[in-house]
Amino acid sequence: MDLESQQSLPHSPFTHPIQCIVKLGGAAITCKNELEMINHHILREVSQQLRHAMISPSHKPPGMDWSKRHGESEICCNPDEFRDDSIFHCTPFIVVHGAGSFGHFQASKSGVHKGQLDKPIVKGGFVATRISVTTLNLEIVRALAREGIPSIGMSPFSCGWFTKEKHISSGDLSSVAKAIDSGFTPVLHGDAVFDEIQGCSILSGDVIISHLAAYSKPKYVVFLTDVYGVYDRPPTEPDAILLKEIGENLLQT
């Protein structure tokens, strides 16, 4: 989204100021060389850090993951911890995460990013990609919920987002804004979506953040990655340069 289009945006649905949009890099929260493997240690640390940043007072509120965990026979739940006088303040954050070792294999093998939904392999890959990325989204929501963060997974596809030549053409944010107004923390992710020109496409987390930031006007946008920052090329290349500033010419994409 370029600066000119941002100046002519429709009315924003956000009625509460957003403190921060946090991007959890896929390479940081998953083991990128192992198919569909979460880096549980990093995810747990990130979830704890987000709790400290978002919730006041600093003590840990009751966990909200009331689901049966692997290897256990009962659901972990203690409703008595949720007293009417135990209300805590949760600073408005939006979390967006990448796919890492989830979704990329399915998308690349089927060519979902190239469109052509009439092909059986693309249609199958579209389904497989969404299963993979939503599986990761659920695990991140669970990790945040265990820290007492009232997180809600929100998929761009399910929210009715569309692309046109890989740029967002329709991205309804009313559900995201409603979740924040209701005291929840939306957790969005890169997703397979319908594309108006080529049938389908992959909507990246970075494009989602650009769209969210244009409407919600957050105070901060923070990227958590496994490298030191933004580079002028893939950081694995030997001549990659760490950028100290990002000018308007780089934002106009």
Side-chain angles (χ1 to χ4, degrees):
M1 181 177 294
D2 58 35
L3 298 180
E4 181 179 351
S5 61
Q6 289 187 35
Q7 293 172 358
S8 58
L9 290 173
H11 175 71
S12 171
F14 292 93
T15 58
H16 286 72
I18 306 300
Q19 178 72 6
C20 186
I21 297 176
V22 179
K23 167 67 182 300
L24 306 182
I29 57 175
T30 71
C31 304
K32 202 153 188 179
N33 294 326
E34 297 184 52
L35 184 61
E36 295 193 343
M37 179 67 66
I38 296 172
N39 189 326
H40 290 284
H41 172 70
I42 295 297
L43 180 56
R44 184 167 54 251
E45 284 197 350
V46 167
S47 299
Q48 292 172 352
Q49 291 171 6
L50 286 176
R51 168 171 56 85
H52 287 299
M54 296 171 61
I55 296 177
S56 178
S58 59
H59 68 269
K60 183 178 178 180
M64 301 179 187
D65 179 15
W66 296 359
S67 56
K68 183 176 176 292
R69 302 191 185 179
H70 181 71
E72 298 182 3
S73 59
E74 297 181 354
I75 289 177
C76 180
C77 171
N78 188 0
D80 294 336
E81 293 181 315
F82 291 84
R83 305 183 310 273
D84 290 340
D85 61 351
S86 62
I87 299 175
F88 57 87
H89 173 68
C90 189
T91 304
F93 272 53
I94 300 174
V95 176
V96 181
H97 65 84
S101 61
F102 288 73
H104 285 299
F105 172 82
Q106 293 84 352
S108 63
K109 286 295 182 180
S110 60
V112 169
H113 59 290
K114 299 178 182 178
Q116 298 181 314
L117 268 177
D118 57 319
K119 292 185 176 181
I121 182 61
V122 176
K123 185 166 293 183
F126 191 96
V127 173
T129 299
R130 295 215 67 253
I131 290 173
S132 188
V133 296
T134 53
T135 296
L136 175 60
N137 180 256
L138 176 58
E139 291 306 312
I140 292 173
V141 168
R142 280 177 167 168
L144 296 172
R146 288 170 192 149
E147 292 298 318
I149 299 172
S151 50
I152 298 292
M154 306 188 78
S155 297
F157 176 86
S158 300
C159 289
W161 290 29
F162 290 79
T163 59
K164 184 176 182 180
E165 296 180 334
K166 301 184 180 181
H167 297 284
I168 295 176
S169 60
S170 176
D172 184 8
L173 295 173
S174 58
S175 295
V176 178
K178 178 62 177 177
I180 292 173
D181 288 346
S182 302
F184 294 105
T185 299
V187 184
L188 292 86
H189 60 88
D191 204 359
V193 298
F194 291 132
D195 187 276
E196 295 178 1
I197 301 297
Q198 61 181 34
C200 63
S201 182
I202 297 295
L203 178 60
S204 74
D206 291 339
V207 174
I208 292 171
I209 287 177
S210 177
H211 185 67
L212 286 167
Y215 285 87
S216 64
K217 307 297 184 183
K219 187 173 182 180
Y220 302 102
V221 177
V222 176
F223 290 78
L224 303 181
T225 72
D226 61 340
V227 294
Y228 291 113
V230 178
Y231 292 77
D232 67 335
R233 68 197 71 186
T236 53
E237 295 185 8
D239 297 329
I241 299 174
L242 178 64
L243 301 177
K244 302 299 183 181
E245 296 182 358
I246 300 178
E248 289 186 0
N249 60 319
L250 293 178
L251 294 175
Q252 296 176 357
T253 58

